[in-house]
Amino acid sequence: MPMDSLDIRRGEQVALVGENASGKSRLASVFAGRNAAKYITFRDSYGSYGDRNFFMQQRWNLFTLEGDPPSVGEALHQDAAESKDPEAALRRVRELTALFSMEPLLDKPLVTLSSGELRKYQLTRALLGGPEILVVDNPYIGLDPRTRGLLTELLTALSGSMTLVLVLSRPAEIPPFITHVIPVEDGKAGEKEPREVYLDRVLPPAVIRLRNVTIRFGERVILNSLNWTVREGEHWALTGANGSGKSTLLSLINADNPQAYAHDIELFGRPRGTGETIWDIKSKIGFVSPELHRAFRQDATALNIVTSGHFDTEGLFRKPSEEQREIARRWMEEFGIGHLAERPFLRISSGEQRLCLVARAFVKDPPLYILDEPLQGLDEPQRRHVKTLLDRYCGAPGKTLVMVTHYPEEYPGCIDHSLTL
């Protein structure tokens, strides 16, 4: 049944999206008031310890300015004690602090919280009464990519037990758990649209799209109902523990896994299994991985290995043009390995081999780069140099990147999205 004029129905997770001053926050606050929903708004600045009046009164409206600032735990316990059912509220505090992994924060003074920690605290306070609807205005403002990812995980967990309404200015910020989008313009709500339909209308085209993909080997589930869309110009960090399914996921995208044909997977706007060849797909992808590295056992020169990237083969089995060889030489120079061009690939160091394979991924100037541990085996100067090149070329307009590394400091600055398996 509709909750009010915004036509938000039970079971839906909704984003109100509009430009600054479009009226979306006013609509959200009216909706929250009519539905007895809990409403949280975030700002880009939270004051400082030196501006205690602003910080304490404007942000929390809880405490007097006398004495020491309260800790997170003290503030939450005070909220619970003042609720209608203090005992139930205290149980809720314990549940929420465990859900949000807030135990290390309980002894911290409120005024020392980072933006991400403050989000956790605000959400915990808002949820003490167990609301059915939570309206969150500007949840991601001022957060770095990693903290945005963590906040999305928290909101995703909450979406299983309540209706969430997020107020956002940027369509690209709409998290995956959102089911519907209501555009807002000039203070008026537009027609509600399914999330994917709305994003396809307002954002760049999808380069990769997986819908409810489940991969099993025997009784072991590697990927479980994975939904993931990567759009042109996005730069993704793909993370997860060993064995979490990262390599399997990349093999589905790079046309190396036959299970791709049994699932709802689109690459470059075309469903798998509709007549495209493996080589059609590979021609648009610059790829490197530890598995690919192990596959190169040919007795060929380093230049030939790099040049083979034009043909997506594990070795050079056709005669390249002079232009193709020259392109390969230029990329070897760019990655600092031009002097290795005529050296046998199997007789250079492992780190030098990895640099050859990274250069090989660039020779086609592809629209999509899939780089699995591209810096593995490199010394520190080489890592810094390659990271700079990744930022320059993979972060260029129109280029799309999916990168895996176990070392967060190796990600280039262009990373703007993350997926954790």
Side-chain angles (χ1 to χ4, degrees):
M1 81 193 322
M3 293 181 176
D4 71 356
S5 59
L6 285 180
D7 189 28
I8 298 175
R9 300 174 181 270
R10 297 188 188 283
E12 294 179 343
Q13 310 298 334
V14 177
L16 298 181
V17 181
E19 296 179 352
N20 292 337
S22 63
K24 57 188 183 297
S25 292
R26 183 183 63 79
L27 280 175
S29 64
V30 170
F31 168 83
R34 288 178 180 173
N35 290 278
K38 204 68 179 179
Y39 181 87
I40 311 174
T41 183
F42 294 116
R43 305 298 182 200
D44 202 17
S45 174
Y46 301 96
S48 65
Y49 186 76
D51 188 1
R52 299 178 69 184
N53 183 63
F54 173 82
F55 190 74
M56 305 296 275
Q57 293 189 350
Q58 298 299 318
R59 295 307 168 193
W60 291 301
N61 295 309
L62 281 177
F63 310 108
T64 66
L65 302 182
E66 302 301 324
D68 294 329
S71 69
V72 171
E74 290 169 342
L76 291 175
H77 279 78
Q78 179 176 328
D79 279 333
E82 295 175 353
S83 68
K84 293 181 180 179
D85 188 343
E87 187 173 334
L90 283 173
R91 286 197 302 270
R92 188 70 169 152
V93 166
R94 291 191 290 269
E95 293 169 358
L96 292 169
T97 52
L99 175 65
F100 294 168
S101 301
M102 285 183 60
E103 291 88 347
L105 303 182
L106 295 178
D107 293 329
K108 292 186 68 172
L110 284 173
V111 292
T112 67
L113 296 183
S114 68
S115 294
E117 292 169 339
L118 179 63
R119 301 296 202 277
K120 289 185 177 184
Y121 169 75
Q122 290 271 59
L123 286 170
T124 302
R125 284 194 66 220
L127 295 169
L128 285 182
E132 293 184 5
I133 306 170
L134 179 64
V135 180
V136 189
D137 194 342
N138 276 318
Y140 298 111
I141 191 169
L143 299 184
D144 59 62
R146 177 180 177 276
T147 308
R148 287 200 300 270
L150 293 174
L151 179 58
T152 295
E153 290 180 12
L154 296 181
L155 295 174
T156 301
L158 294 175
S159 68
S161 59
M162 65 180 62
T163 295
L164 293 179
V165 179
L166 304 189
V167 181
L168 302 167
S169 297
R170 300 176 59 241
E173 289 183 337
I174 300 173
F177 68 82
I178 291 294
T179 61
H180 292 80
V181 177
I182 298 177
V184 179
E185 185 176 356
D186 297 329
K188 297 179 180 179
E191 292 294 322
K192 181 173 61 180
E193 300 178 70
R195 176 183 183 273
E196 195 169 286
V197 172
Y198 172 80
L199 293 179
D200 283 345
R201 181 168 62 81
V202 302
L203 292 181
V207 175
I208 302 166
R209 197 193 309 267
L210 288 76
R211 297 185 183 93
N212 296 315
V213 171
T214 297
I215 301 294
R216 292 183 175 90
F217 291 104
E219 296 184 357
R220 184 185 176 201
V221 177
I222 306 299
L223 298 175
N224 187 20
S225 299
L226 177 64
N227 291 281
W228 187 37
T229 300
V230 176
R231 296 184 179 275
E232 181 183 294
E234 294 180 346
H235 311 99
W236 285 77
L238 177 59
T239 65
N242 291 333
S244 61
K246 299 188 300 297
S247 295
T248 298
L249 175 55
L250 297 184
S251 71
L252 293 171
I253 299 167
N254 198 46
D256 291 329
N257 191 322
Q259 293 200 50
Y261 295 100
H263 295 87
D264 190 352
I265 298 175
E266 292 180 14
L267 299 176
F268 305 101
R270 187 170 181 173
R272 289 300 309 272
T274 56
E276 84 288 359
T277 69
I278 289 175
W279 307 110
D280 291 334
I281 296 170
K282 288 182 178 291
S283 68
K284 300 176 182 178
I285 300 174
F287 182 74
V288 66
S289 73
E291 292 77 17
L292 181 70
H293 192 164
R294 289 193 290 271
F296 273 87
R297 309 310 303 164
Q298 295 82 7
D299 186 17
T301 65
L303 176 60
N304 280 353
I305 297 297
V306 176
T307 305
S308 72
H310 287 290
F311 311 108
D312 303 299
T313 53
E314 295 171 4
L316 193 58
F317 305 114
R318 60 164 60 165
K319 185 177 180 179
S321 68
E322 284 305 312
E323 180 183 8
Q324 288 170 328
R325 280 193 175 275
E326 183 56 31
I327 290 172
R329 287 184 185 275
R330 288 203 300 267
W331 279 110
M332 292 185 75
E333 291 291 343
E334 190 80 344
F335 281 95
I337 51 174
H339 62 288
L340 301 175
E342 303 306 324
R343 294 273 302 276
F345 180 76
L346 297 181
R347 298 183 189 178
I348 60 179
S349 72
S350 176
E352 291 169 334
Q353 290 177 357
R354 182 55 59 94
L355 285 172
C356 286
L357 295 179
V358 175
R360 176 184 178 274
F362 281 75
V363 294
K364 293 177 301 188
D365 190 27
L368 171 63
Y369 294 94
I370 298 178
L371 307 180
D372 186 356
E373 298 288 356
L375 279 59
Q376 190 176 78
L378 306 188
D379 60 34
E380 195 55 37
Q382 290 172 332
R383 286 171 185 254
R384 289 196 298 268
H385 179 61
V386 173
K387 182 178 175 180
T388 298
L389 295 179
L390 296 184
D391 234 352
R392 182 185 305 164
Y393 294 111
C394 297
K399 296 296 184 182
T400 306
L401 169 66
V402 177
M403 180 172 165
V404 175
T405 177
H406 290 290
Y407 302 96
E409 66 274 11
E410 292 184 352
Y411 285 116
C414 65
I415 292 294
D416 46 27
H417 292 74
S418 66
L419 172 67
T420 301
L421 298 180

